[in-house]
Amino acid sequence: MRYAMAIDTLKCVGCSDCVVACQMENNVPIGFCRDWVTETVDGSYPNVEIELRSERCNHCDNSPCVRCCPTGASHIEDGGIVLVTHHKCIGCGACIQACPYEARYSHPEGYVDKCTFCIHRVRKGDKPACVAVCPTKCMYFGDLDDPNSEITNVLKNRKFKSLAPEAGTNPQIFYLI
Amino acid sequence: MKEELFVSGRNIPNIDPYLNIWHWQIPLYLFLGGLAAGILFFAALFTIMGKEKEMPAAVKKAPIIAPIALILGLIALFLDLKHKLFFWQLYTTIRLESPMSWGAWVLMAITPLSMLWVASYMKELVPGWKWKNNLLESFEGFVIKYRLWMAWMIIVLSVILGIYTGILLSAFNARPLWNTSILGPLFLVSGMSTGAATILIMSKSKEERRTMSWIDLLLIIVELFFITHLIMGMKAGSQVQIDAVSLFLGGQFTVSFWVFVILLGLVFPAILEILERIGYHIPVVIPVALILLGGLMFRFIMVEAGQLTRYLY
């Protein structure tokens, strides 16, 4: 099993519903977020292009955060989901330094927190909160090892990119372009 | 023209707009750890070489600084933790891939060893010192008997400790300024140089001072050579590394790096030590203070600047 997410940058309107849904679902403290939307403007008027991206932890295959964790609190769950065990985390900040996507933050309670791909929902067969609420249905979540899954098909048929692949992390969030 | 702006709720303290999760605690610890590693390395080295008589400050006196520096460093590390009550989780596992895990275990071993080292010389350092306990007295005898063994353990551990202070940073490929393998040896040499400087100022024997200032001069030259390597390697690296090193070459850390680290911290004390060698009388406190200050500044600048560097996407 290899969970991954594909996000269609051509369909995304940047409404930030995914951000709010995540904050509600996961009780993210005010002033922090596990996912966010970036807007990249390219070109100069009148030839301007905007790319909207809903970003979060890339649940990297080669995750530097897991490698540098001194206690094993950062670990990889079945399906390749990168998680932090709160009661093992000492809050040293190494994983925050190690993440090229800056997807982790220090929770006010001390431990490090990040996107979990809503593992509590995924285990029940639901989709992550951000995917479930997307009004333009621009996000796909599923198992890359399953040849018939929606995400496998969408990645087969569309051009895509991932963020900072040169960091050697093998990210598992794909942006359809 | 390319522009990128954050539009959603991404406004996380210590991460946006610049990552700043490590404050003064980490660079201070890196300095103290390197200093302790340097001092202990020379104490062990001269013991193994059988030069306890010729190098009394290096073997007996200066090591007093090591446990103090290590304990202060450990306090700084503890203050850095955000989930403090769970610190013991460090000692429930050994993670070979994590430099911080290596560091935690090495500190666990070298801190008590450095205390034993000092304790074994207590009677020579403080005339009339008594342990006032038979058990402690016989334990002291035991420690003194196996001092050479201890020296071998300490020499290995101190090199690991010194290198680890650099590898701790260089293991983060997300921070391009740190992500260079020269950082381990560079921090080791810098730590040894601060250690040698500390021994230099604590020494009363002319012969020992001569040896230590010779060693220190050599270490400074190696350090300058490694720093040149660091800059050259970055300049010839990928775009993120070119951007990273530009912080020192015209960027916001240019003055602090070249003035405090290179000139005042390395070149100037080296010149003073050469002048001393060719016959001028220079108060030893000046080069020593400059070397220690330069080492401390170097770590602060590296940690601060490194956190500004990131991947472009």
Side-chain angles (χ1 to χ4, degrees), chain B residues 78-116:
Chain B
F78 181 71
L79 289 177
D80 169 68
L81 299 183
K82 309 273 184 309
H83 218 199
K84 292 189 173 52
L85 292 178
F86 292 79
F87 80 94
W88 51 271
Q89 286 282 358
L90 278 172
Y91 297 106
T92 59
T93 175
I94 296 177
R95 297 211 59 258
L96 294 179
E97 283 184 318
S98 162
M100 215 181 260
S101 182
W102 273 85
W105 283 103
V106 168
L107 282 171
M108 185 72 145
I110 205 168
T111 311
L113 271 177
S114 72
M115 289 174 184
L116 281 181

Side-chain angles (χ1 to χ4, degrees), chain B:
Chain B
M1 192 188 91
K2 194 174 159 113
E3 219 182 304
E4 177 163 327
L5 38 130
F6 290 116
V7 287
S8 77
R10 177 78 201 219
N11 184 19
I12 300 180
N14 296 333
I15 294 184
D16 296 318
Y18 294 116
L19 186 78
N20 189 17
I21 195 80
W22 284 351
H23 307 288
W24 58 270
Q25 296 95 334
I26 298 289
L28 179 67
Y29 159 69
L30 295 180
F31 171 74
L32 291 169
L35 176 69
I39 292 172
L40 290 172
F41 175 83
F42 288 116
L45 180 72
F46 293 127
T47 305
I48 290 167
M49 289 166 72
K51 300 216 166 173
E52 292 104 323
K53 291 250 158 51
E54 293 89 334
M55 312 292 289
V59 174
K60 298 168 192 171
K61 239 162 99 187
I64 300 173
I65 305 287
I68 298 170
L70 286 171
I71 287 167
L72 288 176
L74 281 167
I75 292 172
L77 276 188
F78 181 71
L79 289 177
D80 169 68
L81 299 183
K82 309 273 184 309
H83 218 199
K84 292 189 173 52
L85 292 178
F86 292 79
F87 80 94
W88 51 271
Q89 286 282 358
L90 278 172
Y91 297 106
T92 59
T93 175
I94 296 177
R95 297 211 59 258
L96 294 179
E97 283 184 318
S98 162
M100 215 181 260
S101 182
W102 273 85
W105 283 103
V106 168
L107 282 171
M108 185 72 145
I110 205 168
T111 311
L113 271 177
S114 72
M115 289 174 184
L116 281 181
W117 187 271
V118 175
S120 78
Y121 279 114
M122 252 351 233
K123 281 191 179 145
E124 290 183 42
L125 289 168
V126 187
W129 176 273
K130 281 200 176 57
W131 289 103
K132 291 176 188 151
N133 181 321
N134 282 338
L135 211 65
L136 282 177
E137 289 285 348
S138 55
F139 184 62
E140 187 201 24
F142 174 79
V143 172
I144 290 171
K145 198 173 150 204
Y146 289 102
R147 209 181 255 150
L148 193 63
W149 286 61
M150 216 154 74
W152 278 107
M153 278 195 278
I154 284 179
I155 204 163
V156 173
L157 288 171
S158 66
V159 171
I160 297 177
L161 178 67
I163 283 198
Y164 138 78
T165 58
I167 291 182
L168 178 73
L169 300 182
S170 74
F172 295 121
N173 79 331
R175 308 290 142 218
L177 181 67
W178 297 344
N179 190 212
T180 159
S181 46
I182 199 76
L183 219 59
L186 174 55
F187 273 46
L188 173 68
V189 173
S190 168
M192 283 187 172
S193 156
T194 54
T198 310
I199 296 167
L200 189 60
I201 198 164
M202 292 179 86
S203 172
K204 291 232 161 51
S205 119
K206 209 173 166 201
E207 231 3 76
E208 186 178 24
R209 276 191 175 189
R210 243 185 116 69
T211 316
M212 285 324 291
S213 94
W214 184 229
I215 290 173
D216 201 33
L217 192 58
L218 210 70
L219 288 170
I220 288 175
I221 292 166
V222 174
E223 203 179 332
L224 283 168
F225 177 67
F226 280 173
I227 288 176
T228 315
H229 255 340
L230 174 92
I231 291 174
M232 277 173 61
M234 292 253 160
K235 278 301 266 183
S238 57
Q239 187 62 45
V240 283
Q241 293 195 307
I242 295 170
D243 289 350
V245 80
S246 72
L247 284 172
F248 295 154
L249 304 172
Q252 67 185 93
F253 287 93
T254 310
V255 174
S256 43
F257 180 75
W258 291 100
V259 173
F260 291 107
V261 178
I262 303 293
L263 282 179
L264 288 179
L266 295 170
V267 176
F268 195 50
I271 293 172
L272 290 181
E273 281 182 15
I274 293 168
L275 286 179
E276 171 85 44
R277 188 156 295 274
I278 57 177
Y280 291 90
H281 181 68
I282 313 276
V284 70
V285 66
I286 299 175
V288 168
L290 285 174
I291 287 167
L292 292 177
L293 208 67
L296 186 64
M297 279 297 283
F298 180 48
R299 282 151 183 86
F300 267 89
I301 288 172
M302 280 309 279
V303 171
E304 283 284 309
Q307 293 189 99
L308 294 185
T309 60
R310 64 202 303 183
Y311 266 82
L312 354 122
Y313 62 85

Side-chain angles (χ1 to χ4, degrees), chain A residues 1-4 57 59-61 63 65-66 72-88 104 114-120 122-123 141 143 145 172:
Chain A
M1 204 155 42
R2 175 67 250 197
Y3 286 120
C57 166
H59 296 275
C60 307
D61 240 2
S63 27
C65 51
V66 172
S74 279
H75 64 284
I76 300 184
E77 282 283 308
D78 288 344
I81 299 181
V82 178
L83 284 187
V84 183
T85 311
H86 294 168
H87 67 268
K88 272 192 172 178
R104 291 167 166 252
K114 63 179 272 299
C115 163
T116 61
F117 262 171
C118 282
I119 192 165
H120 58 289
V122 171
R123 277 188 180 145
F141 177 83
D143 182 5
D145 285 348
Q172 298 297 310

